[in-house]
Amino acid sequence: MGMLLYAGTDDEVQPDNDYQISGNTISVKTLDLDCDFTDIAKKLDAIAAGGASPGKRTVSASDKM
């Protein structure tokens, strides 16, 4: 399993998905850093526990992201 963790922005769309690529799970998550560290720590714990995954997508080598 791998993960890409991005800092949150003001953009309307924020990355938050899991992908299956060649049998490996790759998670792409966004973390809002504009809050109290206690909240950031809770969000990081939820991400690490796998509790922040709305969907999973299978991607083949021929797919374009």
Side-chain angles (χ1 to χ4, degrees):
M1 177 169 181
M3 181 178 292
L4 298 172
L5 185 59
Y6 292 100
T9 64
D10 292 334
D11 288 345
E12 190 173 313
V13 177
Q14 301 289 319
D16 192 16
N17 221 336
D18 294 329
Y19 300 90
Q20 287 290 323
I21 301 173
S22 300
N24 300 303
T25 302
I26 307 295
S27 296
V28 180
K29 305 293 178 195
T30 301
L31 181 64
D32 181 8
L33 300 176
D34 189 24
C35 57
D36 187 62
F37 181 75
T38 305
D39 294 331
I40 294 170
K42 288 177 185 177
K43 292 174 187 176
L44 282 170
D45 287 342
I47 289 170
S53 293
K56 184 180 277 187
R57 180 175 165 212
T58 301
V59 179
S60 71
S62 62
D63 288 345
K64 294 183 180 179
M65 290 195 205

